[in-house]
Amino acid sequence: MSSFDPARIAIPCAHFIDGRRVVDKGELATVRPSDGATYAELPIADAGVLDDAVGSARKAFLRSEWARQAPRERARIMRRWADLIEADVDYLASLEALGSTRPIDQARAWDVPYTAEGIRFFAEFADKHGGEVAATAHDHLGMQIAEPLGVIGAIAPWNFPLSMTCWKVAPALAAGNTVVLKPSEMTPFTAVRLAELAIEAGMPAGVFNVIQGSGPITGDALCRHPEIAKVTFTGSTATGRAIMGACAETGPKPVTLELGGKSPQLVFADIPDIDRTAQTLAAAITGNAGQVCVAGSRLLIQKPLLESMIERLAASFGTLTPGLTWQEGSRFSPIISSVQLERIESIVARAREAGAELLTGGERFESGLGGCFYRPTILHVNNRHNPAVDEEIFGPVLTIQTFEDEEEALALAEHEVYGLASGIHTADLGRALRAVRKLSAGTVWVNRYGRSNDYILPTGGYKRSGIGRDLGRAAFEANLHHKSVLIDLNP
Ligand code: NAD
């Protein structure tokens, strides 16, 4: 039985600095998306708290064993951390479900174990990398030594609070850096629990710190802090631009930016099983109520399939009903906030004014639960440009455009701004591989949509969808820099 009573869940309403919770005065109402109730007053880190957190991370970087010890010891602590996270699944999953859009069944079955696995994955790199010896003249020895960067500033979004924290933090720590994380002010608490478990696993105090606060104040100040060596960020493209500006003005400092998307799915008439493809398409836009960076939000479909696909998608959407995230069996997520709900409504309204035809949905779910829910929606768009095609909606809204042939499909797939992910569904291998070459996206899924649970393939954006990569070896290496050493053998 995974349902739980939200009133019984203790909220770690604090920063986490130098190995302990720092309780501060609450300033920002934190709201449960499922029912709209305020359940905590979040502290906001001021300049003093920020200095404490960065100072503690800097001290841990210079003086603790973290960066200096044998890397296999770091890996051992991180593996133990992952074990403790899994053992804490009851509490962590409840805390995640209570404060975010993640239904409890999914938080237990996916978010918590996936976070633990991510930590294990990156821990493995800690002692499995090295520098290189350079091709020099024989009376020289040239080497490159990989070293951690220092204190990494990490900023995470609200849509998958635990796993996005893992993506940001685990590779940075495995490479020997220390971290100050600012979670989203809308989902701030599971990160504190993660930091506590890290201490329990044996991580030195100050290696992983969490500060709370809003983006434009605390997040901006974190990016600008002189002791921050690099910023790793996941969130919207607009915020990514602001963060890059702050890092340029106060650095330049390197950034990794994982940003927004408007990902197309191309469906050709030769697919062998329309029901299976329909299920994939539906899941790609209704999972987490479309609040997924790689949501498959633009369906491009070959004309003969249009009617039969709409019928199947509408039927599938009709089975989804709102549920409290703390109730077993809830499948369809709330929208994170009333502001985000209004944003979805406004884009759908502008899309219809611009000629999009509403096929299903297009309104709030009046659920009576108190939270914000939006009906899964399909908009048929005839033009190449429409607000619902151009803008990231971050809600359960699917646009459908039709094409005649492969050339037209690939032209429609190209987005002027975003290039995060894409999907192609076809029985023709040659066509799939031609599309793989032509699609401007950091990820192409063929006859599926969405990541597997493996961490090995990097993820990131083409165009304005990002700079750098999360996951894979690339994410680990982005947390290192290289020192060149040249030794004169005949001084
Ligand atoms: P957001 O950009 O509003 O906020 C993300 C984080 O940045 C939050 O912690 C916020 O407090 C902070 N922030 C806001 N303004 C800031 C500033 N000026 N300086 C420093 N920090 C600031 O994004 P969101 O609404 O939390 O998340 C949704 C967005 O995240 C979507 O655009 C989605 O596509 C994107 N996303 C991308 C990926 C990816 O891997 N590419 C993954 C998940 C989410």
Side-chain angles (χ1 to χ4, degrees):
M1 182 76 178
S2 57
S3 297
F4 65 93
D5 175 358
R8 289 180 172 274
I9 304 298
I11 309 297
C13 189
H15 313 291
F16 193 88
I17 298 173
D18 209 22
R20 61 191 179 83
R21 286 189 198 181
V22 175
V23 180
D24 211 349
K25 66 176 184 308
E27 294 186 51
L28 200 65
T30 315
V31 171
R32 306 192 298 220
S34 287
D35 66 358
T38 296
Y39 70 104
E41 298 288 337
L42 187 71
I44 295 188
D46 60 16
V49 171
L50 174 62
D51 272 344
D52 288 350
V54 178
S56 143
R58 183 79 188 144
K59 189 175 77 190
F61 182 69
L62 294 175
R63 303 214 197 111
S64 80
E65 288 301 301
W66 191 249
R68 296 183 305 181
Q69 67 199 338
R72 66 177 178 282
E73 183 58 19
R74 229 166 34 226
R76 196 186 64 76
I77 292 171
M78 288 184 70
R79 285 196 300 270
R80 188 164 147 63
W81 185 22
D83 293 345
L84 292 178
I85 288 169
E86 278 176 349
D88 197 40
V89 63
D90 286 344
Y91 176 64
L92 258 181
S94 302
L95 192 59
E96 184 86 330
L98 181 146
S100 78
T101 58
R102 308 292 302 135
I104 182 63
D105 297 345
Q106 293 171 32
R108 288 183 70 90
W110 189 80
D111 299 66
V112 173
Y114 179 73
T115 298
E117 272 305 294
I119 289 170
R120 286 193 192 102
F121 174 86
F122 284 111
E124 293 306 324
F125 285 111
D127 63 348
K128 292 175 190 67
H129 75 108
E132 55 180 54
V133 174
T136 58
H138 270 205
D139 53 353
H140 290 156
L141 179 62
M143 315 184 267
Q144 274 193 41
I145 306 175
E147 296 184 335
L149 296 159
V151 183
I152 307 289
I155 300 182
W158 49 262
N159 60 339
F160 294 88
L162 275 173
S163 59
M164 290 300 106
T165 296
C166 167
W167 285 20
K168 305 280 91 180
V169 169
L173 293 177
N177 301 281
T178 59
V179 171
V180 177
L181 166 81
K182 194 203 82 63
S184 168
E185 58 274 42
M186 289 192 269
T187 53
F189 299 123
T190 40
V192 176
R193 183 63 182 155
L194 285 187
E196 269 173 0
L197 293 173
I199 294 288
E200 219 176 287
M203 196 176 281
V207 168
F208 176 27
N209 306 276
V210 179
I211 55 167
Q212 306 292 3
S214 75
I217 298 172
T218 311
D220 181 68
L222 175 63
C223 297
R224 291 176 187 276
H225 198 287
E227 298 282 12
I228 292 293
K230 170 183 174 164
V231 173
T232 178
F233 167 75
T234 297
S236 63
T237 294
T239 305
R241 198 175 294 125
I243 285 177
M244 198 165 177
C247 289
E249 282 166 26
T250 55
K253 297 170 192 169
V255 288
T256 294
L257 304 176
E258 293 295 340
L259 308 177
K262 191 75 208 177
S263 303
Q265 296 214 60
L266 288 60
V267 179
F268 287 85
D270 63 5
I271 48 166
D273 183 344
I274 187 170
D275 290 315
R276 185 172 171 271
T277 306
Q279 272 173 21
T280 304
L281 299 176
I285 191 63
T286 58
N288 210 28
Q291 300 162 114
V292 181
C293 55
V294 293
S297 54
R298 289 192 293 137
L299 171 56
L300 311 177
I301 192 157
Q302 204 158 20
K303 272 193 180 137
L305 285 186
L306 179 66
E307 297 308 326
S308 46
M309 189 59 86
I310 289 171
E311 197 182 301
R312 283 166 173 80
L313 288 173
S316 162
F317 287 7
T319 65
L320 295 169
T321 49
L324 296 164
T325 45
W326 45 85
Q327 236 158 41
E328 189 177 3
S330 291
R331 282 196 301 140
F332 187 57
S333 293
I335 302 300
I336 185 72
S337 68
S338 54
V339 173
Q340 177 58 14
L341 179 70
E342 281 159 21
R343 196 171 161 271
I344 296 170
E345 289 178 323
S346 135
I347 299 178
V348 171
R350 283 191 285 117
R352 294 179 70 185
E353 275 163 31
E357 180 194 357
L358 179 68
L359 298 181
T360 186
E363 59 184 2
R364 296 175 184 213
F365 251 125
E366 297 304 345
S367 65
L369 299 175
C372 302
F373 291 86
Y374 195 79
R375 285 185 189 276
T377 296
I378 303 176
L379 293 168
H380 185 207
V381 178
N382 276 322
N383 307 337
R384 180 106 195 250
H385 285 290
N386 178 281
V389 168
D390 295 340
E391 298 174 35
E392 185 184 43
I393 300 178
F394 230 55
V397 180
L398 180 70
T399 60
I400 303 191
Q401 293 162 284
T402 52
F403 61 82
E404 298 279 355
D405 57 19
E406 186 179 322
E407 193 185 345
E408 192 184 2
L410 290 168
L412 283 171
E414 195 70 23
H415 194 281
E416 280 168 18
V417 177
Y418 296 115
L420 193 57
S422 54
I424 172 159
H425 304 263
T426 176
D428 181 338
L429 183 62
R431 171 151 54 208
L433 293 178
R434 285 192 295 277
V436 164
R437 289 206 178 201
K438 286 192 180 145
L439 288 165
S440 308
T443 295
V444 184
W445 287 301
V446 179
N447 292 328
R448 61 174 286 125
Y449 198 84
R451 293 183 188 92
S452 64
N453 281 343
D454 302 320
Y455 271 80
I456 190 66
L457 280 171
T459 181
Y462 278 30
K463 300 185 178 174
R464 309 289 178 264
S465 286
I467 295 179
R469 292 290 177 268
D470 274 348
L471 307 186
R473 177 176 284 276
F476 175 77
E477 288 182 347
N479 286 286
L480 294 166
H481 52 183
H482 293 88
K483 183 176 279 170
S484 290
V485 181
L486 186 63
I487 303 167
D488 200 334
L489 300 180
N490 298 307

